[in-house]
Amino acid sequence: PKLSRPHQSRSSGPVPMAAPERYSYVELVGGADGTETCLLLCVGRCGSDALQNREACYAFRCGEGCARLLGANDVSLKHLRATFLNKATDALGVPELFLHCRESGVDMPSIVGDAQASRMAAAALRAACPWASDVRIEERYEDDFVRVTRDNEAFIIEVCGKKLAISADAYHDDADVVLHTEARDTQIV
């Protein structure tokens, strides 16, 4: 039998992007050089190597040394959309991340945290990189792939029809997956 090709329309407008169907998370373990452990949420074409094969990624627990840690794990900053400050001291990693992005020629991702973390990130940037006035520091975040809101100390992420909670508490009653952030090792509940 003869197979027919599906009809393809020729519209002049942009083709809407399909919502991603896959996500994965990877823990990047910090080391003796003072880097802290970072949790990376990868969204999109997540294959066997989520760090390289993704459309967008988001870094959580992105503290001091985060740019070195991302670089050591060959994470390209090109797809890093936002970094989330789980605690106020994570703001100490923002100037290094800014400098690393500037050196790499990529846009700085959004910095997301509560009011205290945002103030600390802004102060750290003013002190280390006074020319970094265009860095966005936000308390909530949304793009084509994820929507992130805060529930007290937790980040609630809606991604691929699922709800993730990234929290210092090991329990969140409304989430499909809870990633525990305060221990040195991430606990997936």
Side-chain angles (χ1 to χ4, degrees), residues 70-90:
L70 293 171
N73 285 280
D74 293 325
V75 176
S76 168
L77 296 177
K78 184 172 131 181
H79 297 290
L80 183 63
R81 300 279 182 103
T83 60
F84 296 85
L85 309 176
N86 291 83
K87 56 187 187 288
T89 56
D90 286 345

Side-chain angles (χ1 to χ4, degrees), residues 52-74:
Q52 296 297 322
N53 191 17
R54 73 218 181 293
E55 294 174 63
C57 65
Y58 309 86
F60 294 84
R61 250 187 358 217
C62 210
E64 192 168 359
C66 63
R68 290 190 308 264
L69 185 61
L70 293 171
N73 285 280
D74 293 325

